[in-house]
Amino acid sequence: MELTLRTLDAAELASSPQFARVAREVYRDDPHWAAPSEAVIAERARDAVEGRIHLHGVVALAGDRPVARAAAIVEPAAVAPSGARQGWIGLFECREDARQAGVAVLSDRRRWLRDRGLTEISAPRSDALRGGLLTSGFDEPHVVLTPYNPAYYPEVFAAAGFVPSTRMVGYRFSRDRAPRIPVPAGLGLRVRPVDPNDWAGEVARLHAFQETVFANRAARVPRPPDGTGLLADRLRQVIDPDLCLIAEDAKGRTVGVLLCLPDVWQQRPAGASPDRARLLSIGLLPGWRGRGAALAMGAALAEQLLGKGYQSLEASWVRGDNVRPQRLARALGAVPSRGLTIYDGSGPP
């Protein structure tokens, strides 16, 4: 198969019918894929046009037929575990009958990053929330802000010289196995939903909390306050304030945050509300860990989900070597739902 690689700057990538067509053809007969996930292309292009990131794409053409695509992404604050600046390869898609084209676009984007001095490369990563390849759970539905891909993608990445660097797992809670969560008495903790009438204040509290609690997490990209505000504004149209919880101590200080989203990507009849949700993140200040505060937030979330008629909750992602939260999830009735792997492209081509 003779291939032509066509490069695209950010503006071209956002409007390219060839770039978009690859995904449509890959998932044409897949009932689990959520087409709204493609909105990330426009979001990332806008970030590039407005100067927040660098974004440069490529699409592989077999004749005039697009068969694979990928983009190189440079987030200025992204740093590898070594401390060096890190480049990302994301927005990857590849037809099964064109795996060599997939290898070609991955290799091309890796060269593009290396030519700009970025030798530490993580893939696939599209933004700070979405990254990794699905490696198990392919029969699970594509849940909001989670990766999704065919089962052959890991083979394409391996053929391009990428190696696994981080393995993660997800867990699913369901209404028919809803736990009774034991919350210790006398915690001195108040768990409340976010206040949409104090949006700016809540976003400021969330930013301060996350940049403190998650600052040293692997693969986390620090965000300036306006970056958190931009993300919050993008999510605001899908957020249910009752599912986003803030835990406060007796003095009103934020000690914990839980963020959960309705699965707005869920396929459903017109006018129907989602009955799936996704637990996006949960965090506590160090002094509150191991005291039952996480259980208190979990109990408050469960009450809201059950009261609103939700049938399931996807809790993702947890590092595969982080045993404690996995034990807790199982103890509360959750079952493993899917696995995910982030790859390192820093080695030889």
Side-chain angles (χ1 to χ4, degrees):
M1 176 174 55
E2 185 175 348
L3 293 175
T4 302
L5 298 186
R6 179 190 172 202
T7 58
L8 305 163
D9 64 22
E12 291 171 325
L13 188 150
S15 61
S16 169
Q18 293 175 327
F19 200 84
R21 181 179 163 189
V22 179
R24 290 199 303 270
E25 294 202 358
V26 168
Y27 301 108
R28 184 186 306 278
D29 300 317
D30 190 332
H32 299 302
W33 179 64
S37 62
E38 287 284 89
V40 68
I41 297 173
E43 292 174 2
R44 296 274 73 185
R46 174 184 166 190
D47 288 336
V49 169
E50 295 179 356
R52 286 184 286 272
I53 66 170
H54 297 287
L55 175 69
H56 199 262
V58 65
V59 60
L61 303 172
D64 61 356
R65 180 189 184 193
V67 293
R69 75 184 200 197
I73 302 169
V74 182
E75 291 265 4
V79 177
S82 66
R85 293 176 62 217
Q86 185 182 70
W88 298 348
I89 299 174
L91 305 180
F92 173 82
E93 300 290 355
C94 167
R95 289 180 56 94
E96 187 170 13
D97 59 0
R99 297 188 188 198
Q100 285 305 311
V103 172
V105 297
L106 289 172
S107 299
D108 180 83
R109 293 299 83 192
R110 177 165 50 192
R111 283 192 296 271
W112 189 92
L113 289 167
R114 287 178 171 174
D115 287 348
R116 285 149 185 81
L118 294 155
T119 57
E120 298 281 351
I121 299 170
S122 182
R125 293 197 69 182
S126 298
D127 61 19
L129 295 179
R130 284 165 282 200
L133 285 183
L134 198 65
T135 52
S136 65
F138 298 103
D139 58 344
E140 295 284 338
H142 191 184
V143 176
V144 64
L145 296 183
T146 61
Y148 186 80
N149 54 264
Y152 59 87
Y153 276 19
E155 297 175 11
V156 177
F157 273 73
F162 289 72
V163 297
S165 62
T166 305
R167 300 187 189 276
M168 308 186 82
V169 294
Y171 283 84
R172 184 179 62 253
F173 295 85
S174 59
R175 175 176 284 270
D176 59 3
R177 293 170 59 90
R180 296 182 62 86
I181 301 178
V183 180
L187 275 178
L189 196 67
R190 174 195 178 211
V191 179
R192 64 170 180 84
V194 299
D195 181 358
N197 295 318
D198 183 24
W199 186 254
E202 299 287 52
V203 171
R205 282 183 280 274
L206 173 62
H207 174 79
F209 178 84
Q210 291 199 323
E211 293 308 306
T212 298
V213 172
F214 299 128
N216 296 318
R217 292 261 179 114
R220 174 162 173 78
V221 180
R223 281 192 294 262
D226 62 342
T228 300
L230 176 63
L231 175 61
D233 287 342
R234 286 178 175 173
L235 293 177
R236 190 172 187 177
Q237 61 182 329
V238 302
I239 282 175
D240 179 346
D242 292 336
L243 304 185
C244 297
L245 306 175
I246 294 177
E248 297 173 333
D249 65 12
K251 296 183 179 180
R253 295 174 295 199
T254 300
V255 301
V257 171
L258 181 153
L259 300 177
C260 180
L261 300 177
D263 183 12
V264 294
W265 291 358
Q266 181 181 356
Q267 298 181 32
R268 57 195 189 278
S273 298
D275 65 8
R276 296 196 306 249
R278 185 195 169 198
L279 179 59
L280 191 60
S281 71
I282 181 171
L284 286 163
L285 291 180
W288 284 86
R289 296 170 190 167
R291 295 171 54 183
L295 290 173
M297 288 194 292
L301 176 64
E303 181 179 1
Q304 290 290 343
L305 292 172
L306 292 171
K308 289 173 175 281
Y310 284 88
Q311 299 299 310
S312 65
L313 170 69
E314 170 79 12
S316 55
W317 296 93
V318 180
R319 284 180 63 101
D321 57 3
N322 193 356
V323 176
R324 185 174 178 179
Q326 294 185 58
R327 287 177 177 168
L328 178 59
R330 291 175 185 269
L332 294 176
V335 296
S337 58
R338 65 193 88 206
L340 174 140
T341 299
I342 295 174
Y343 288 77
D344 180 11
S346 306

